[in-house]
Amino acid sequence: MKKVMLVFGTRPEAIKMCPLVKELQSRKALQTVVCVTGQHRQMLDQVLEIFDVHPDYDLSVMQDKQTLFDITANILLRIREVLEQERPDVCLVHGDTSTTFVTALACFYLQIPVGHVEAGLRTYDIYSPYPEEFNRQAVSILSAYNFAPTERSKQNLLREGKKPETIWVTGNTAIDALKTTVREDYTHPELDWAKGSRLIFITAHRRENLGEPMHQMFRAIRRVMDDHPDVKALYPIHMNPVVRKAAEEELSGCDRIRIIEPVNVFDCHNMMARSFLILTDSGGIQEEAPSLGKPVLVMRDTTERPEGIAAGTLKLVGTEEETIYREFTALLDDPQQYRAMAHAANPYGDGHTCERIADILEKGSTEI
Ligand code: UD1
Ligand code: UDP
């Protein structure tokens, strides 16, 4: 029986890997082992609980205000024993976090084949997003199985010299997750609070935005909120204390902005589905929002998700206060501009990505 191990550690990896865990566990020809690094703690556990996934291993690496050195060193040292003990036929990692990169590196040291879920996303700017662009490029060098979400991501890998027989266009498991969460009859006290107003949904956390860029983002949001009394904003805040301090400094004191604790993925998807527009620097939200037909102002200078821009639902607005202020205001005040962005498009698959990946793992074999 082929042994497949999945390793993940942060919220977005968990949201996109848990549906795959479930699918793999349903396959009799596969033995599934789950290891979480615990790079995130509360935000990871929230997802494990919703999907009812119980890891076989938990490396519990998270530290308050952890640096890239902390995460890298702790995962590398702790995962070695797990990989040596389990010796999986293939180890699946997801996307571009430090958990992803370090696990792939450890697999390489032990010559364990790596399968990369969400492979081939690129900005080709090594510092944006940071350190994610490096992480995903580095994983691509050594991965034996590359599950590309779109044709465009496959083309990136081919251009870099990956062998075509190691790449499959599968869609993104984010859509598999999204198909199970959004409900017509969903209610939540925060949505009751926002009734009668246009609801803005906000998230922000990127490492390269910490500091001045994040302050500028928040200042722009605050100014637009002050200008528009008919608008309310819901901001489930990341647990990073640096993000929390900046938000507290720039956004407190406006009773139409509610900063709340991170919501579970079920609430998050439903809140996004009920919002008027979304402001974010998140990667995953750029994949989910086009499906929901929600305009997104992406507060970043680059994106590895050009499919959403091409579909018209995402707009890159950078991190400068004046640009965000102008673009956010325009979407609130100009119905034509809003309508041009608010239409459902789904470049990321049909919700059957996990089945495809499981089929490939059951049947396929590949060389690096
Ligand atoms: C990480 C990933 C990033 C991903 C993001 C998703 C890296 C280098 N970064 O960034 O690619 O987009 O997760 O959210 O892999 N914290 C808690 N509890 C939690 C989670 C975080 O308290 O459940 C706090 C801790 O103080 C921690 C800090 O947030 O030190 C930052 O977490 P970290 O994983 O280092 O970086 P993220 O910005 O979350
Ligand atoms: N999300 C969530 N609760 C929140 C905020 C976000 O469940 O309070 C979900 C969101 O729907 C998406 C994922 O978390 O699926 C994105 O995670 P994040 O922005 O932390 O990371 P990124 O995608 O940027 O790596």
Side-chain angles (χ1 to χ4, degrees), residues 11-12 15 205-206 236 262-265 268-269 282-285 288:
R11 169 173 66 191
I15 290 170
H205 72 82
R206 296 239 81 83
V263 289
N264 70 47
V265 62
C268 188
H269 288 172
S282 160
I285 288 177
E288 295 160 350

Side-chain angles (χ1 to χ4, degrees), residues 10-13 15-16 40 43 46-47 94 96-97 118 132 174 177-178 201-206 235-238 260-272 280-288 300 305:
T10 66
R11 169 173 66 191
E13 295 165 84
I15 290 170
K16 297 173 187 177
H40 283 175
M43 287 161 55
Q46 236 180 0
V47 184
H94 182 278
D96 55 21
T97 70
E118 200 181 274
E132 291 82 4
L178 192 65
F201 190 80
I202 303 169
T203 79
H205 72 82
R206 296 239 81 83
Y235 175 9
I237 196 165
H238 193 285
I260 58 174
E261 288 304 315
V263 289
N264 70 47
V265 62
F266 175 70
D267 289 329
C268 188
H269 288 172
N270 280 285
M271 287 172 173
M272 283 162 59
T280 191
D281 64 7
S282 160
I285 288 177
Q286 293 179 59
E287 292 153 353
E288 295 160 350
R300 294 172 49 177
R305 281 137 174 126

Side-chain angles (χ1 to χ4, degrees), residues 205-273:
H205 72 82
R206 296 239 81 83
R207 237 181 183 79
E208 69 273 16
N209 288 345
L210 298 177
E212 182 55 20
M214 198 162 278
H215 280 270
Q216 294 217 20
M217 285 156 49
F218 291 152
R219 276 203 291 274
I221 291 170
R222 177 59 186 266
R223 281 170 57 200
V224 178
M225 293 299 298
D226 286 342
D227 292 349
H228 292 83
D230 65 318
V231 171
K232 286 184 175 167
L234 205 48
Y235 175 9
I237 196 165
H238 193 285
M239 295 195 75
N240 188 335
V242 184
V243 175
R244 289 182 172 224
K245 187 162 177 289
E248 163 70 22
E249 283 170 19
E250 304 291 353
L251 297 174
S252 61
C254 173
D255 61 6
R256 284 179 292 103
I257 304 177
R258 273 207 179 163
I259 299 180
I260 58 174
E261 288 304 315
V263 289
N264 70 47
V265 62
F266 175 70
D267 289 329
C268 188
H269 288 172
N270 280 285
M271 287 172 173
M272 283 162 59

Side-chain angles (χ1 to χ4, degrees), residues 181-188 191-192 195 266 270 274:
T181 49
V182 179
R183 308 257 162 89
E184 278 294 316
D185 58 353
Y186 176 82
T187 59
H188 192 281
L191 292 183
D192 293 340
K195 241 177 215 151
F266 175 70
N270 280 285
R274 299 299 175 83

